[in-house]
Amino acid sequence: MTAITLDSLDLAALLCSRVCHDVISPVGAIVNGLEVLEDEKDESMRGFAQDLIRKSARQASARLQFARLAFGAAGSAGAAIDTGDAEQVARGFIQDDRTTLTWNAPRVLLPKNQVKLLLNLLLIAGATIPRGGTIDVTLTVENDMGSFKVITKGVSARIPAAVPGLLAGSPDSGTVDAHGIQPYYTGLIARAAGLDVSLTLDGDSVTILATPKPEDA
C-alpha cells in the first residue's frame, strides 16, 4: 500500500461532509416536528412532535459539541484540553439505548491532539460494534503523554476492513472519500501526537490501543 496525502482543501471539505452527515438527521427531525406542530390539532400528535423536537435538539447539540473537540481547533495552537470535557461530550454523543460508555480516566489537561485522538478513537470503537454493546475507555498519563486503551464488546464485533489502511494513511482503494475521512484523519492526529494505534479482534471484543512511539516514550 502507498501512503497518500490529501490536499488541505480536500481534507477540510471531507471533514465538513462528515460533520454535516452527523447532524443532518437530528436537524431534519426537528424540522419535521415543527411542521407537525404547525398543522396538527390532535394533542397526542402535538405531544409526540414536542418530544421529538426536544430529543432531536439534544442530539444535535451533543453531536456538534463532540465535533467541536474531535475535529475543531479547540483553542489556539498548543492548547491543552480537559479530559473531563472530553468525557462529557463523549457521553452525550455515544451513550444511548444500544451502547454503554465506561470512562476510566483521571481528569487532567492533555495536549489537544491527544484528546482529539481519543475522541476519534471512540468513533472507530463505535463502528466495531454495529449492533451496540459496551465501550470501555482507560487512560494513563506519564510525563504529559497519554496512553489509551478502548475495549468494545458486542454481538458481531468486527474491525471494519478499510480502517487499518486508512489509519496508516494507505487505504487499499488508494483514495479517501467522505465515508473514510474519519479514520484517515484519526491516523493524521495519531502521528501528530506521537502515538501508534493498533486494533485487535478477539471473539466479540475489539481492543484499540494508542501508545507512544518508541522515540517519544
mmCIF file of all heavy atoms in Angstrom, residues 4 29 33 40 57 103 113 121 142 172 182 186 207 210:
data_model
loop_
_atom_site.group_PDB
_atom_site.id
_atom_site.type_symbol
_atom_site.label_atom_id
_atom_site.label_comp_id
_atom_site.label_asym_id
_atom_site.label_seq_id
_atom_site.Cartn_x
_atom_site.Cartn_y
_atom_site.Cartn_z
ATOM 1 N N ILE A 4 -0.919 8.083 0.994
ATOM 2 C CA ILE A 4 -1.425 9.196 0.206
ATOM 3 C C ILE A 4 -1.515 10.427 1.104
ATOM 4 O O ILE A 4 -1.623 10.330 2.321
ATOM 5 C CB ILE A 4 -2.794 8.896 -0.420
ATOM 6 C CG1 ILE A 4 -3.862 8.732 0.681
ATOM 7 C CG2 ILE A 4 -2.731 7.665 -1.292
ATOM 8 C CD1 ILE A 4 -5.261 8.664 0.126
ATOM 9 N N ALA A 29 -35.133 15.989 11.819
ATOM 10 C CA ALA A 29 -36.222 15.577 12.703
ATOM 11 C C ALA A 29 -36.844 16.783 13.397
ATOM 12 O O ALA A 29 -38.064 16.826 13.610
ATOM 13 C CB ALA A 29 -35.703 14.579 13.735
ATOM 14 N N GLY A 33 -40.749 17.867 13.163
ATOM 15 C CA GLY A 33 -41.559 18.095 14.349
ATOM 16 C C GLY A 33 -42.235 19.453 14.336
ATOM 17 O O GLY A 33 -43.410 19.587 14.717
ATOM 18 N N GLU A 40 -50.898 20.150 12.915
ATOM 19 C CA GLU A 40 -51.649 19.133 13.646
ATOM 20 C C GLU A 40 -52.429 19.753 14.813
ATOM 21 O O GLU A 40 -51.900 20.560 15.568
ATOM 22 C CB GLU A 40 -50.678 18.076 14.187
ATOM 23 C CG GLU A 40 -51.339 16.897 14.867
ATOM 24 C CD GLU A 40 -52.251 16.118 13.953
ATOM 25 O OE1 GLU A 40 -51.765 15.631 12.910
ATOM 26 O OE2 GLU A 40 -53.449 16.010 14.293
ATOM 27 N N ALA A 57 -33.143 17.982 19.357
ATOM 28 C CA ALA A 57 -32.326 19.160 19.667
ATOM 29 C C ALA A 57 -31.170 18.782 20.583
ATOM 30 O O ALA A 57 -30.032 19.240 20.392
ATOM 31 C CB ALA A 57 -33.194 20.242 20.309
ATOM 32 N N TRP A 103 -15.941 5.095 31.498
ATOM 33 C CA TRP A 103 -14.795 6.008 31.366
ATOM 34 C C TRP A 103 -13.902 5.867 32.589
ATOM 35 O O TRP A 103 -14.273 6.238 33.697
ATOM 36 C CB TRP A 103 -15.318 7.444 31.244
ATOM 37 C CG TRP A 103 -14.296 8.487 30.912
ATOM 38 C CD1 TRP A 103 -13.495 9.154 31.791
ATOM 39 C CD2 TRP A 103 -13.985 9.014 29.614
ATOM 40 N NE1 TRP A 103 -12.693 10.058 31.122
ATOM 41 C CE2 TRP A 103 -12.975 9.998 29.791
ATOM 42 C CE3 TRP A 103 -14.459 8.739 28.332
ATOM 43 C CZ2 TRP A 103 -12.452 10.718 28.714
ATOM 44 C CZ3 TRP A 103 -13.929 9.459 27.261
ATOM 45 C CH2 TRP A 103 -12.938 10.427 27.448
ATOM 46 N N ASN A 113 -4.070 17.483 20.678
ATOM 47 C CA ASN A 113 -4.065 16.399 19.693
ATOM 48 C C ASN A 113 -4.276 15.038 20.340
ATOM 49 O O ASN A 113 -4.871 14.136 19.743
ATOM 50 C CB ASN A 113 -2.760 16.405 18.900
ATOM 51 C CG ASN A 113 -2.774 17.412 17.772
ATOM 52 O OD1 ASN A 113 -3.833 17.923 17.388
ATOM 53 N ND2 ASN A 113 -1.605 17.730 17.237
ATOM 54 N N LEU A 121 -10.869 7.954 18.303
ATOM 55 C CA LEU A 121 -10.814 6.512 18.535
ATOM 56 C C LEU A 121 -12.160 5.984 19.024
ATOM 57 O O LEU A 121 -12.546 4.852 18.702
ATOM 58 C CB LEU A 121 -9.725 6.169 19.544
ATOM 59 C CG LEU A 121 -8.276 6.374 19.089
ATOM 60 C CD1 LEU A 121 -7.313 6.046 20.223
ATOM 61 C CD2 LEU A 121 -7.951 5.532 17.860
ATOM 62 N N GLU A 142 1.682 9.728 31.620
ATOM 63 C CA GLU A 142 3.049 9.791 32.150
ATOM 64 C C GLU A 142 3.799 10.879 31.420
ATOM 65 O O GLU A 142 3.908 10.850 30.186
ATOM 66 C CB GLU A 142 3.760 8.450 31.983
ATOM 67 C CG GLU A 142 5.143 8.419 32.614
ATOM 68 C CD GLU A 142 5.802 7.047 32.536
ATOM 69 O OE1 GLU A 142 5.117 6.090 32.120
ATOM 70 O OE2 GLU A 142 6.982 6.947 32.891
ATOM 71 N N ASP A 172 -6.570 0.866 1.003
ATOM 72 C CA ASP A 172 -6.487 -0.137 -0.057
ATOM 73 C C ASP A 172 -6.956 0.409 -1.393
ATOM 74 O O ASP A 172 -6.438 0.044 -2.444
ATOM 75 C CB ASP A 172 -7.327 -1.368 0.311
ATOM 76 C CG ASP A 172 -6.762 -2.112 1.512
ATOM 77 O OD1 ASP A 172 -5.552 -1.967 1.773
ATOM 78 O OD2 ASP A 172 -7.527 -2.827 2.178
ATOM 79 N N GLN A 182 -12.900 9.965 8.410
ATOM 80 C CA GLN A 182 -12.713 9.998 9.867
ATOM 81 C C GLN A 182 -11.549 9.101 10.322
ATOM 82 O O GLN A 182 -10.666 9.569 11.045
ATOM 83 C CB GLN A 182 -14.019 9.647 10.583
ATOM 84 C CG GLN A 182 -13.971 9.875 12.100
ATOM 85 C CD GLN A 182 -13.386 8.691 12.852
ATOM 86 O OE1 GLN A 182 -13.661 7.542 12.508
ATOM 87 N NE2 GLN A 182 -12.602 8.963 13.881
ATOM 88 N N THR A 186 -8.001 10.325 11.860
ATOM 89 C CA THR A 186 -7.522 9.776 13.129
ATOM 90 C C THR A 186 -6.053 9.396 13.033
ATOM 91 O O THR A 186 -5.271 9.637 13.951
ATOM 92 C CB THR A 186 -8.356 8.552 13.534
ATOM 93 O OG1 THR A 186 -9.732 8.922 13.611
ATOM 94 C CG2 THR A 186 -7.913 7.999 14.884
ATOM 95 N N THR A 207 -10.032 -4.549 20.813
ATOM 96 C CA THR A 207 -9.183 -3.695 21.643
ATOM 97 C C THR A 207 -8.445 -2.711 20.753
ATOM 98 O O THR A 207 -7.798 -3.098 19.774
ATOM 99 C CB THR A 207 -8.157 -4.521 22.440
ATOM 100 O OG1 THR A 207 -8.854 -5.418 23.317
ATOM 101 C CG2 THR A 207 -7.261 -3.612 23.273
ATOM 102 N N ALA A 210 -3.604 2.993 21.821
ATOM 103 C CA ALA A 210 -2.817 4.124 21.323
ATOM 104 C C ALA A 210 -1.698 4.344 22.324
ATOM 105 O O ALA A 210 -1.952 4.741 23.473
ATOM 106 C CB ALA A 210 -3.675 5.372 21.186
#
